[in-house]
Amino acid sequence: MGDIDPQTLAGAGVAVGLGTLGVLVDLTLQLVPAFALDLQVDSAPADELFASWVERTAADDHVEAFWFPHHPRAITKTTTRRPADTAPVPRSWFGRTVTDGIVSNAGLAALARAADLFPRQAPWMNRTLGGLAPHRVVGPSHEVFVSHRTVRFREMEYGGPRAFVAVHTVHGDGRARAWFAELERILVAAGGRPRWGKMHSLGAAELAPLYPRMGGLLALRRQLDPDRLFGNASTDRVLGLTARRG
C-alpha cells in the first residue's frame, strides 16, 4: 500500500472511502469566512408545506420541516446567512430553558413512551402536542444551527436531489428496525439513497445501482489494499468484500 493523491481519487470517481482505502495522515480543509445565521421557527399546514417544498428550498439557504404523524401542521425551521457582524437576536430565557431544554427533550421522550404504552392515543397526542411556538434567533452560525439534544433517537434518513427524509424513533433497536423496514421500502421505491451514517438495511447488491461510481471505489480498494486489511462487518455488508480478520 502506498500514498494516494487527490487526483487519483477524483479520477476514480471516489469522494468517500469509508476508511477502506488506508490511513488518512494529511487533511486540508476548505473554509469560508465566519457568518451569522438568521433562524425563523414557524409552522405551516403540512399538505401545503410538502406541496411547495421545492420552491421553499430554492428560496432559502436551509429549510427543515418536522412533522408529527396525524398533526395537521408541520414545524418549519428556515435559516438564512447574514454577515458575521449582524446584530444578534438571542433566544429568550423561557424558550431556551423550558421549550428547548425541557419540552423538546424530556417532554418529547415522555410523549414517545406514552404513545408506545397507549398506541391508540398516539394520533391524539401528536395532534395536541406536536408543535413549537414561533420564534426568531440570530447569532453565530455554530451556535444557531445546532440543537441541544438529550433524548436518544434511532434514525433512518434517505435523500434525493432536493430533499432528505429522516425518520426518528425512541424505540429500542429491535422495534426501530422493524418499523424502519416498512418505511425503507417506500423510500427506496421513490428513488431515495440512504445516509450511511444512520440506520439502513441495504447491502452491496441494493446499493450498487444507486451509486454508478461504486465500481471506482472497489477497483481502487483492490489496488491499495489487496489483502483487505481495512474493513469491518459494516463495510463488508455495503461493499460486498469481506475484510481479512487478524
Side-chain angles (χ1 to χ4, degrees):
M1 181 178 294
D3 294 340
I4 183 170
D5 59 76
Q7 287 72 28
T8 301
L9 290 174
V14 175
V16 177
L18 303 177
T20 63
L21 301 180
V23 179
L24 185 65
V25 296
D26 189 20
L27 180 66
T28 300
L29 297 177
Q30 184 176 2
L31 306 177
V32 299
F35 57 90
L37 280 179
D38 188 330
L39 167 66
Q40 180 66 56
V41 177
D42 208 334
S43 68
D47 290 343
E48 294 180 13
L49 173 68
F50 299 138
S52 62
W53 187 255
V54 173
E55 292 77 14
R56 284 175 176 264
T57 56
D60 293 288
D61 290 327
H62 189 268
V63 182
E64 295 180 80
F66 300 85
W67 178 64
F68 289 73
H70 307 287
H71 200 292
R73 301 181 70 85
I75 302 166
T76 61
K77 295 178 68 175
T78 303
T79 48
T80 305
R81 290 192 183 200
R82 304 294 187 203
D85 59 356
T86 300
V89 179
R91 187 82 159 105
S92 68
W93 177 90
F94 183 88
R96 184 177 65 254
T97 305
V98 178
T99 304
D100 298 344
I102 299 176
V103 176
S104 296
N105 284 287
L108 181 60
L111 172 65
R113 291 189 172 88
D116 195 21
L117 292 172
F118 307 101
R120 292 186 179 182
Q121 301 302 317
W124 174 83
M125 293 179 188
N126 283 351
R127 286 194 298 267
T128 304
L129 302 174
L132 288 175
H135 61 273
R136 177 174 177 248
V137 178
V138 180
S141 59
H142 65 279
E143 296 178 2
V144 174
F145 198 71
V146 299
S147 298
H148 177 64
R149 189 68 64 204
T150 59
V151 59
R152 181 180 178 182
F153 289 119
R154 285 168 175 79
E155 184 175 356
M156 179 177 68
E157 185 171 331
Y158 270 74
R162 297 304 300 268
F164 279 82
V165 176
V167 186
H168 302 73
T169 179
V170 297
H171 293 311
D173 191 63
R175 290 196 61 186
R177 290 185 184 278
W179 188 47
F180 287 167
E182 297 297 321
L183 293 167
E184 193 169 42
R185 280 194 282 271
I186 299 172
L187 296 171
V188 170
R193 301 199 301 186
R195 182 172 177 180
W196 290 22
K198 299 182 180 180
M199 295 175 67
H200 74 87
S201 67
L202 302 190
E206 296 87 5
L207 290 168
L210 301 177
Y211 296 89
R213 294 184 292 181
M214 178 80 80
L217 170 61
L218 299 180
L220 195 58
R221 188 188 187 198
R222 286 191 292 268
Q223 172 189 338
L224 296 175
D225 186 18
D227 295 325
R228 296 192 293 277
L229 298 177
F230 294 93
N232 54 33
S234 178
T235 58
D236 291 351
R237 176 171 66 88
V238 297
L239 298 181
L241 296 174
T242 303
R244 189 178 73 179
R245 305 291 187 259

